[in-house]
Amino acid sequence: MTVVIIGSGNVATVMGNRIVAAGHTILQVAARREEAAARLAGEWGCGYTTRLSAIAAGADIYIVALSDQATLELEQVLSLPDRLVVHTAGAVPRAALLAVSERSGVLYPLQSLRKEIRPFPEFPLLIDANREADLPVIEAFARTISRQVQRADDGMRLKLHVAAVFANNFTNYLYTLAADFCRQEQIDFALLLPIIRETAERIGHYPPREVQTGPAVRGDHATMERHLQLLNNYNNMSELYRLFSARIEEYYKGVVR
């Protein structure tokens, strides 16, 4: 298929590279910043523009890979009647691009994507369409760039987006706090990598609730108090330690471990 990508950030870059690798042709990349647009155009061997009014006509599919707010505002400045236009946002409604084209929908990669991290990871694609007739087209295209494709309405995508914030964004913030703590206490954060990998591996085989460990699960208040004394000068960590410990202890209360 022939493709136009609107955007030049993380999602646009990763999706574009996957699309090219799948044998599709990117006709053009449209982005606000000329430097970013030119860089991607050189990488993909296509044209570029910084003006929405100059977007190429006649592509098979237009992929809007912008921030949520920019996606919602696109209807005010872009019209692509009768063209298939999909956005890549998890928390933006399916109907957000109806004013751009009645043939619009969703192609949402459920993954944490960073353009500078190679190789690019695998990702599921959640799809939807405003017209039922366009769903098979979007699905066939999606299956060329992902091994895991699923139809998902607005409600399902929003729920998965929330779950992903807990599973990925909040978890990475905890890694950040742990790394900062290790640096300030002059200990090696790399020593924690095996336990991080093991936890991620376990939840691929067991329900997360069944593999929880730590002093809060055991109700080991003596150990928790020693930890809190050590965290006395780390306000964020101390606050989160108390909150998480209380919630974990409450969740597993009465559960035989």
Side-chain angles (χ1 to χ4, degrees):
M1 294 180 74
T2 54
V3 182
V4 168
I5 294 182
I6 302 173
S8 61
N10 292 315
V11 175
T13 301
V14 176
M15 292 281 282
N17 276 274
R18 185 62 60 86
I19 287 165
V20 169
H24 302 288
T25 300
I26 297 179
L27 298 180
Q28 185 186 56
V29 55
R32 182 183 54 174
R33 294 189 301 112
E34 183 168 6
E35 181 182 358
R39 174 180 53 80
L40 289 177
E43 188 172 340
W44 297 335
C46 67
Y48 74 88
T49 182
T50 59
R51 296 181 295 113
L52 292 177
S53 60
I55 283 182
D60 295 317
I61 187 168
Y62 294 75
I63 298 177
V64 177
L66 301 172
S67 69
D68 289 7
Q69 188 59 38
T71 299
L72 291 169
E73 294 172 355
L74 198 61
E75 65 176 8
Q76 303 171 20
V77 292
L78 181 64
S79 179
L80 293 166
D82 299 322
R83 310 315 305 177
L84 185 56
V85 184
V86 294
H87 71 69
T88 59
V92 173
R94 177 186 70 187
L97 299 177
L98 267 175
V100 177
S101 174
E102 290 188 2
R103 296 188 61 206
S104 57
V106 180
L107 186 71
Y108 167 51
L110 183 56
Q111 180 57 276
S112 174
L113 301 177
R114 299 286 301 189
K115 58 188 175 184
E116 68 273 16
I117 297 177
R118 310 292 177 100
F120 297 129
E122 295 292 326
F123 48 79
L125 281 172
L126 304 182
I127 64 169
D128 202 359
N130 285 300
R131 298 199 324 182
E132 186 69 27
D134 289 323
L135 258 177
V137 180
I138 297 173
E139 182 170 1
F141 175 75
R143 291 195 181 281
T144 66
I145 57 178
S146 173
R147 291 182 290 186
Q148 191 175 359
V149 177
Q150 185 170 331
R151 299 184 182 188
D153 62 17
D154 288 350
M156 180 178 176
R157 282 187 292 106
L158 186 60
K159 291 173 185 177
L160 283 167
H161 197 264
V162 169
V165 167
F166 276 84
N168 176 255
N169 303 141
F170 291 168
T171 301
N172 193 73
Y173 177 62
L174 296 178
Y175 293 154
T176 300
L177 290 181
D180 288 346
F181 175 79
C182 287
R183 184 179 65 255
Q184 292 181 55
E185 296 296 327
Q186 299 182 337
I187 54 180
D188 187 2
F189 177 75
L191 292 173
L192 297 174
L193 295 179
I195 196 171
I196 291 172
R197 296 189 186 103
E198 176 62 20
T199 300
E201 180 66 23
R202 283 180 187 176
I203 62 174
H205 303 282
Y206 304 96
R209 71 183 307 273
E210 294 184 6
V211 295
Q212 185 74 42
T213 60
V217 175
R218 302 189 300 269
D220 185 352
H221 293 180
T223 296
M224 288 190 280
E225 186 57 37
R226 285 195 294 273
H227 288 172
L228 286 168
Q229 289 174 7
L230 183 59
L231 294 173
N232 190 52
N233 294 323
Y234 297 89
N235 291 337
N236 283 354
M237 293 185 75
S238 178
E239 179 184 0
L240 289 172
Y241 189 100
R242 292 180 188 277
L243 176 63
F244 279 118
S245 294
R247 293 294 182 266
I248 291 170
E249 190 170 7
E250 179 182 4
Y251 186 90
Y252 288 97
K253 190 174 183 179
V255 176
V256 177
R257 303 288 298 171

